[in-house]
Amino acid sequence: MGFAPRLDGGAGSWGAPLLAPGRAVLGCGSASPAGRVGLVGFLVLSTPLSLLHSLPPSQPIHRAGARPRPSSAPASPPPPPLMSISALLSMGRCCCRCCCPRGLWMLSAPCCDDRRMCVCPGPRRIGIPVRSSSLPLFSDAMPAPTQLFFPLIRNCELSRIYGTACYCHHKHLCCSSPYVPQSRLRYTPHPAYATFCRPKENWWQYTQGRRYASTPQKFYLTPPQVNSILKANEYSFKVPEFDGKNVSSILGFDSNQLPANAPIEDRRSAATCLQTRGMLLGVFDGHAGCACSQAVSERLFYYIAVSLLPHETLLEIENAVESGRALLPILQWHKHPNDYFSKEASKLYFNSLRTYWQELIDLNTGESTDIDVKEALINAFKRLDNDISLEAQVGDPNSFLNYLVLRVAFSGATACVAHVDGVDLHVANTGDSRAMLGVQEEDGSWSAVTLSNDHNAQNERELERLKLEHPKSEAKSVVKQDRLLGLLMPFRAFGDVKFKWSIDLQKRVIESGPDQLNDNEYTKFIPPNYHTPPYLTAEPEVTYHRLRPQDKFLVLATDGLWETMHRQDVVRIVGEYLTGMHHQQPIAVGGYKVTLGQMHGLLTERRTKMSSVFEDQNAATHLIRHAVGNNEFGTVDHERLSKMLSLPEELARMYRDDITIIVVQFNSHVVGAYQNQE
């Protein structure tokens, strides 16, 4: 409930409630003793927002409860209300995994009454909520044209232009143009969330001589520039043929990444198992930094490969290490030049891996030769997460390594890994990345088969699992507002020791750690209702699928893709790209009123795009192009794609997450031969 201040402007004295919902509230920003934005006073208008711009210049606006001035007094024209950009910012959604419980930071929002739960001051999505799943661009949400507003952002001109017009607590962007009415907005903000800056007295005297004229300019990237950005991280691998034949069930794979964070928090890995059969492919989505996802992308495949090795091979490797001989290569990596390894921590990682295979040798006497792939995947995931935790507790004499292992442990990462051996496909998933199988039906259409489950609040089985692992007294607090302890969105992840260690252990490690860790507020923060840890696990959920000739490809992707595209659209786009067969569907306008000329333009545009569909030589790149540039009609809009790719680093994360994709293409002939042999 809102309150109106005393009319004498006294701070801290609050009087009558607001007159009615839908009324405009005006205020002035000034610094309070606490250092926050304090409101010296509010002016309550009895005029709805829709009528603010319709008032004639000669009609004064009176404060609530104040007497109107005598008619003999000269009436000065009231200034148009200035909409604060913070009003739009406050309506945006928070993208950080460990921030606002519902992903919303709105002004006076009921879902965020307890701001203490939003410990991460991470970036927020800016824009007005829309009906569709696609977010509007930053330029669409502002009451000023893109060609005028973006230069002001980059050059910090906005505060200079309007610095004489209004008081603002912050020195950066605060007010949008007073000359652009709200009718110019594509989505007008709700009046309840609109905030205004109080203009100075007679401020129009200053603005009369400070009006700036600008020639409209379009800052669009050219198609070559767009392609350069999209293809910067793409990588393709084709499985080699022997005697002109490909004996593998995998023809090859395409992968790509498009960053939104700076630096990117996603990672990807692909490797061929040399001592056993099969290929490993995986995507890793980091949060609270990229340290954990980087470590997991380097180490997890080694743990899986060692778990799959027979007893005799493990003995050979251990004897080679003991005698100082060269080791047998375990993996052949397929990496993009931008995908790097941490050379400083290689010795530490090797020692932990060696300890793991020594334990496997002691546990396995060599009597059993059959290796359960599902069990090997689960053991590898759990052991790596345990080593990450143990390395952080023990520390390292090297100050750099000591800080590195702590960063890895206090950050987090989800993982989705596929192991393909002949027709046997295993998918191990921890977190909210996904694996999707593309199946071609007899009529040529495409269908999507999900091979992983998201581990979050939308998964009823995950909710039940969490509640059963903790006392009944914590049933209402363990998952609060769809987040683990009200903070973390994924319910399974590597690292994130803040949700696994006891409070005493956390304090002891932080106090004995480097100064950088002590100065970090996030690491020192203890989650609310933290009573019976661990609350988080890295144990994966493993799904098995036997490949069939109609199974054409597999898509592994982080949640940045699935937040923007439906799984059926993903499979259709990749399938049509790989086969070159495009089943044209009637253009759906989704309730929009489209004229005959606009429909003709859409059909012409689709025909033009058909001729240039093969400009992407990489299936993952082609999919990213659609994920970022698709419009409401399901076609790639170059203007939208250009705008999204030209956003500055500090704004890109407000609209989308990092996107990492691996598209694995299967060899239907080899898969069919396996079936015929059986």
Side-chain angles (χ1 to χ4, degrees):
M1 187 176 185
F3 295 90
R6 281 177 18 188
L7 296 181
D8 58 6
S13 301
W14 303 96
L18 297 181
L19 298 180
R23 305 300 185 185
V25 181
L26 274 72
C28 80
S30 63
S32 65
R36 298 181 180 178
V37 178
L39 298 182
V40 176
F42 283 92
L43 302 179
V44 182
L45 301 183
S46 59
T47 306
L49 272 175
S50 59
L51 300 180
L52 281 177
H53 295 288
S54 62
L55 292 175
S58 60
Q59 180 179 350
I61 300 177
H62 304 292
R63 292 178 295 176
R67 293 183 179 181
R69 290 184 297 180
S71 57
S72 59
S76 57
L82 299 178
M83 175 173 290
S84 172
I85 293 177
S86 61
L88 296 176
L89 289 173
S90 61
M91 296 181 65
R93 285 188 283 177
C94 175
C95 293
C96 187
R97 294 175 181 272
C98 50
C99 290
C100 184
R102 288 190 183 177
L104 292 170
W105 275 357
M106 295 192 301
L107 187 66
S108 304
C111 71
C112 292
D113 291 335
D114 189 0
R115 186 69 178 273
R116 293 172 298 173
M117 299 173 63
C118 306
V119 295
C120 179
R124 291 167 283 177
R125 285 182 181 158
I126 306 175
I128 309 304
V130 295
R131 291 176 295 176
S132 63
S133 59
S134 60
L135 288 171
L137 293 180
F138 185 70
S139 60
D140 296 336
M142 305 306 299
T146 305
Q147 62 270 19
L148 296 179
F149 191 77
F150 274 108
L152 299 183
I153 290 180
R154 294 192 177 96
N155 301 327
C156 299
E157 293 283 340
L158 208 59
S159 59
R160 180 174 68 84
I161 295 175
Y162 297 107
T164 61
C166 57
Y167 291 114
C168 293
H169 173 64
H170 297 291
K171 297 297 184 183
H172 58 279
L173 307 179
C174 62
C175 297
S176 59
S177 172
Y179 303 107
V180 182
Q182 289 192 9
S183 59
R184 293 281 298 277
L185 287 168
R186 177 179 294 186
Y187 304 100
T188 304
H190 192 280
Y193 302 133
T195 59
F196 302 94
C197 296
R198 186 187 68 178
K200 289 181 178 181
E201 296 179 2
N202 302 328
W203 64 272
W204 52 88
Q205 297 178 2
Y206 297 92
T207 59
Q208 294 300 321
R210 299 182 64 90
R211 295 191 181 184
Y212 288 78
S214 176
T215 303
Q217 301 177 12
K218 292 185 178 181
F219 297 94
Y220 295 153
L221 298 174
T222 63
Q225 291 174 326
V226 169
N227 289 337
S228 177
I229 295 174
L230 292 179
K231 298 180 179 182
N233 297 312
E234 70 177 12
Y235 178 81
S236 296
F237 174 77
K238 301 300 179 185
V239 175
E241 297 181 351
F242 300 95
D243 296 331
K245 296 181 179 179
N246 188 336
V247 296
S248 173
S249 59
I250 296 179
L251 287 173
F253 70 87
D254 295 333
S255 69
N256 201 352
Q257 290 182 305
L258 183 65
N261 293 287
I264 184 173
E265 295 180 344
D266 282 6
R267 294 295 186 271
R268 57 182 169 176
S269 292
T272 301
C273 300
L274 298 179
Q275 301 303 319
T276 58
R277 300 179 305 174
M279 180 177 287
L280 289 166
L281 308 106
V283 293
F284 312 93
D285 189 355
H287 49 268
C290 61
C292 188
S293 59
Q294 175 64 34
V296 173
S297 67
E298 295 180 23
R299 307 176 66 181
L300 181 58
F301 284 10
Y302 280 114
Y303 279 74
I304 296 175
V306 166
S307 302
L308 294 173
L309 290 177
H311 183 73
E312 296 77 10
T313 306
L314 290 175
L315 286 175
E316 291 180 15
I317 295 176
E318 176 61 24
N319 293 333
V321 175
E322 286 287 344
S323 61
R325 293 184 285 110
L327 288 175
L328 294 173
I330 299 177
L331 295 173
Q332 178 187 357
W333 291 94
H334 312 295
K335 280 187 171 288
H336 188 276
N338 293 343
D339 302 333
Y340 64 94
F341 281 96
S342 302
K343 296 181 179 179
E344 299 83 3
S346 58
K347 184 177 180 180
L348 174 66
Y349 293 167
F350 177 79
N351 291 336
S352 297
L353 180 65
R354 184 184 180 188
T355 303
Y356 177 48
W357 78 53
Q358 287 174 343
E359 294 181 7
L360 291 178
I361 292 175
D362 296 337
L363 293 174
N364 187 3
T365 59
E367 298 177 357
S368 176
T369 58
D370 295 334
I371 297 178
D372 187 354
V373 177
K374 180 178 180 179
E375 183 180 356
L377 290 170
I378 294 176
N379 292 337
F381 272 62
K382 294 170 64 177
R383 180 52 185 255
L384 174 57
D385 188 58
N386 182 73
D387 285 351
I388 290 174
S389 175
L390 185 62
E391 291 163 0
Q393 296 177 43
V394 174
D396 194 278
N398 186 313
S399 59
F400 175 81
L401 285 180
N402 190 34
Y403 183 50
L404 175 63
V405 297
L406 288 171
R407 285 177 53 216
V408 171
F410 277 91
S411 58
T414 65
C416 186
V417 175
H419 178 264
V420 185
D421 182 6
V423 293
D424 297 321
L425 170 61
H426 290 83
V427 174
N429 182 54
T430 292
D432 51 9
S433 296
R434 294 182 190 174
M436 204 69 58
L437 187 68
V439 181
Q440 189 173 29
E441 305 296 345
E442 294 181 357
D443 60 354
S445 61
W446 295 93
S447 60
V449 177
T450 305
L451 296 181
S452 64
N453 297 313
D454 293 348
H455 299 138
N456 51 31
Q458 280 65 49
N459 188 335
E460 294 293 337
R461 294 174 59 185
E462 279 295 287
L463 288 173
E464 291 299 324
R465 178 188 66 82
L466 273 173
K467 292 179 180 179
L468 290 175
E469 292 178 354
H470 299 277
K472 292 184 178 179
S473 59
E474 298 184 56
K476 294 184 179 180
S477 61
V478 65
V479 177
K480 196 172 182 180
Q481 295 177 330
D482 290 346
R483 293 183 179 233
L484 184 64
L485 297 180
L487 295 173
L488 195 65
M489 185 173 292
F491 291 171
R492 303 191 192 192
F494 287 92
D496 283 323
V497 294
K498 294 184 63 61
F499 299 89
K500 299 174 182 177
W501 290 355
S502 65
I503 295 179
D504 293 337
L505 179 58
Q506 291 187 44
K507 291 182 178 179
R508 185 166 66 250
V509 171
I510 293 174
E511 291 173 357
S512 61
D515 294 337
Q516 300 97 317
L517 200 67
N518 272 309
D519 296 339
N520 192 322
E521 293 296 329
Y522 172 72
T523 56
K524 294 189 295 184
F525 174 81
I526 302 298
N529 303 307
Y530 197 79
H531 305 300
T532 57
Y535 290 90
L536 195 66
T537 179
E539 180 176 348
E541 185 177 6
V542 181
T543 304
Y544 171 75
H545 178 81
R546 186 172 180 81
L547 293 176
R548 306 161 298 174
Q550 59 266 36
D551 300 332
K552 301 300 181 181
F553 59 88
L554 175 70
V555 177
L556 301 173
T558 55
D559 62 341
L561 173 68
W562 310 112
E563 288 174 355
T564 59
M565 296 188 70
H566 189 269
R567 60 176 185 172
Q568 189 61 42
D569 294 331
V570 170
V571 168
R572 177 184 56 81
I573 290 171
V574 175
E576 292 178 351
Y577 171 84
L578 293 177
T579 61
M581 298 174 58
H582 301 267
H583 297 269
Q584 297 296 338
Q585 300 293 334
I587 293 181
V589 295
Y592 291 91
K593 293 183 178 180
V594 179
T595 65
L596 185 60
Q598 291 173 331
M599 181 60 69
H600 175 73
L602 290 173
L603 293 173
T604 304
E605 181 183 9
R606 183 167 73 173
R607 184 177 62 182
T608 304
K609 285 181 169 56
M610 287 298 301
S611 60
S612 60
V613 69
F614 293 106
E615 67 181 13
D616 295 321
Q617 303 301 318
N618 184 294
T621 304
H622 187 68
L623 191 53
I624 291 177
R625 187 185 300 274
H626 280 266
V628 179
N630 265 13
N631 57 19
E632 59 269 28
F633 302 111
T635 60
V636 177
D637 184 347
H638 175 73
E639 180 178 331
R640 176 181 176 83
L641 181 61
S642 174
K643 286 181 179 180
M644 294 295 289
L645 295 180
S646 60
L647 287 174
E649 291 179 350
E650 59 272 14
L651 290 180
R653 183 59 182 90
M654 299 176 182
Y655 292 93
R656 58 175 178 81
D657 199 356
D658 298 328
I659 300 177
T660 300
I661 302 172
I662 298 179
V663 179
V664 187
Q665 189 174 2
F666 297 121
N667 192 334
S668 300
H669 299 292
V670 174
V671 172
Y674 272 100
Q675 285 190 340
N676 295 334
Q677 291 177 1
E678 298 177 354

